[in-house]
Amino acid sequence: MIRSTYSWLFRTFIHKSDPELAHHYGLGAIARAGRFFATRRAMRATVGYLGRPGATGGRVVRIGERVVPGRLGLAAGMDKDAQAVLGLTALGFAFVEVGTITPQPQPGNEAPRLWRLMQQRGLRNRMGFNNEGVEAAAARLRDLRRSYEGRCAIVGANIGKNKTTSEADAAEDYRVCARYLSPWVDFVVVNVSSPNTPGLRDLQSVEHLRPIIEAARRGCHEGAGREVPLFVKIAPDLADSDVIAVAQLAKELHLAGVVATNTTIAHDLGDGGVSGAPLKERALDVVRLVAMHLDDHQILIGTGGIFSPDDALDFLSAGADLVEAFTAFVYEGPSWPGMMNRALARF
């Protein structure tokens, strides 16, 4: 009932609204609902996912010491400033990746910068890492961890560099973000693959990526005083040889794993990256490639065009251990993540 109602509202009214404004109000409503025990409980009982640790299709998947209670998490880009973690987990996401977070606050690119691709079931964005900065995000995550439910939530931080930071100084931005955020998160994702920060994707080359990963690892030790699971997120537009090189580097540096993939620039719609259904086939190819070059204990998180349980199973069959989504949540509504994790728990 909830899903069909949302689908009608989306097709009839919501798709005509400004996408960024709808995102702002929608996330705000989830954040407000997540602040109160009664509304969180109601969300879990009606549309959420009452998962148990290890309910990941017969296989226990761990990120560090945390057992993930479901296969589907929320990809970075939805909750940029860690405002709505409790509401998002109450809706059924097994884990939430917040960000992308940069050392200093930045407004991002000028509007318009977000578009719905209704016929393709996709989104195009050129947001440009708009966020309130690492200190604001760290303060929210610290407050989150003060409550029992906040400590139970599995949260990752996606980190990037500021637009004005030079390539030579990029590693320091990642170290700073990791230092501030690592005490309060379960994993950190190094984002060098957004198409909306000039020069960022150049950092995916192994010679540039190695010092960035090493700097992020130092930041985690400085901040948390422990080994925090560290991932790298890669673009779908890399050549296969470069995908393999990044996977081999992740293996060499003993990263927790890889997130594959970010948005694609393989389109003719203008600036920015496309997510959603148009991305799926290339994202699956990248997942297959990465899976062949990681160690068995490393975690591969697949993302890109997942709308149905069958889509998620395609990624899991290709070698992913977990999956993430963002665009489908926009199109399918608040009951979708719980439905997905309930369905995937049967496999």
Side-chain angles (χ1 to χ4, degrees):
M1 178 65 179
I2 293 173
R3 191 175 179 194
S4 60
T5 300
Y6 179 87
S7 179
W8 180 82
L9 287 171
F10 189 85
R11 293 193 314 270
T12 308
F13 299 110
I14 297 174
H15 84 275
K16 299 177 183 178
S17 65
D18 177 84
E20 188 170 354
L21 197 61
H23 182 168
H24 173 76
Y25 283 118
L27 188 69
I30 295 169
R32 286 190 294 275
R35 289 182 193 140
F36 305 102
F37 173 77
T39 49
R40 292 196 302 270
R41 184 169 63 177
M43 291 158 71
R44 287 189 187 279
T46 54
V47 299
Y49 169 62
L50 301 173
R52 64 189 187 281
T56 49
R59 179 187 166 208
V60 174
V61 180
R62 287 184 173 86
I63 298 180
E65 297 180 355
R66 301 297 303 274
V67 177
V68 185
R71 286 294 182 99
L72 176 79
L74 179 67
M78 173 66 69
D79 190 1
K80 294 176 178 292
D81 295 300
Q83 297 174 311
V85 172
L86 289 179
L88 290 162
T89 54
L91 286 176
F93 286 108
F95 59 97
V96 173
E97 187 180 326
V98 300
T100 298
I101 298 163
T102 57
Q104 300 300 320
Q106 62 181 27
N109 297 321
E110 70 280 359
R113 54 190 184 178
L114 180 63
W115 298 266
R116 301 183 189 94
L117 309 175
M118 293 296 294
Q119 290 187 338
Q120 300 98 316
R121 293 194 305 161
L123 297 172
R124 175 167 70 96
N125 92 84
R126 57 180 194 89
M127 302 299 290
F129 288 174
N130 56 305
N131 74 109
E132 296 176 4
V134 72
E135 292 188 30
R140 287 197 183 96
L141 290 165
R142 183 183 63 239
D143 290 344
L144 174 76
R145 296 309 200 185
R146 287 174 175 159
S147 71
Y148 172 75
E149 283 194 61
R151 290 190 294 274
C152 288
I154 297 180
V155 185
N158 184 296
I159 61 175
K161 79 174 189 71
N162 281 112
K163 184 176 181 178
T164 56
T165 300
S166 68
E167 181 182 301
D169 296 327
E172 178 64 9
D173 274 17
Y174 289 91
R175 185 193 69 81
V176 168
C177 285
R179 178 167 63 84
Y180 271 94
L181 297 168
S182 57
W184 316 114
V185 297
D186 300 295
F187 63 99
V188 172
V189 180
V190 171
N191 185 352
V192 287
S193 52
S194 169
N196 300 317
T197 296
L200 187 74
R201 286 193 169 191
D202 296 338
L203 302 179
Q204 291 178 105
S205 66
V206 169
E207 64 181 79
H208 291 111
L209 186 55
R210 183 187 300 272
I212 287 172
I213 290 173
E214 291 172 342
R217 178 167 278 158
R218 285 197 305 275
C220 288
H221 280 289
E222 292 166 2
R226 59 184 171 87
E227 190 75 20
V228 177
L230 191 62
F231 291 75
V232 62
K233 185 170 188 176
I234 61 174
D237 306 307
L238 289 175
D240 287 357
S241 59
D242 293 325
V243 171
I244 293 169
V246 172
Q248 290 174 333
L249 181 66
K251 184 175 179 178
E252 176 193 339
L253 296 180
H254 306 290
L255 296 188
V258 173
V259 181
T261 65
N262 213 317
T263 58
T264 181
I265 57 173
H267 60 84
D268 57 2
L269 300 172
D271 293 339
V274 167
S275 62
L279 179 57
K280 182 187 172 187
E281 292 310 314
R282 177 54 184 166
L284 276 171
D285 289 342
V286 173
V287 165
R288 291 187 190 99
L289 272 176
V290 173
M292 289 189 295
H293 293 88
L294 290 182
D295 281 333
D296 290 342
H297 69 272
Q298 291 180 295
I299 299 297
L300 176 52
I301 302 176
T303 180
I306 295 171
F307 275 76
S308 69
D310 285 344
D311 291 333
L313 289 172
D314 287 343
F315 277 81
L316 298 174
S317 297
D321 301 285
L322 300 167
V323 293
E324 290 181 339
F326 174 150
T327 302
F329 185 43
V330 174
Y331 276 78
E332 302 294 331
S335 65
W336 182 79
M339 178 278 294
M340 287 286 290
N341 269 320
R342 288 192 299 275
L344 293 173
R346 297 196 293 267
F347 294 96

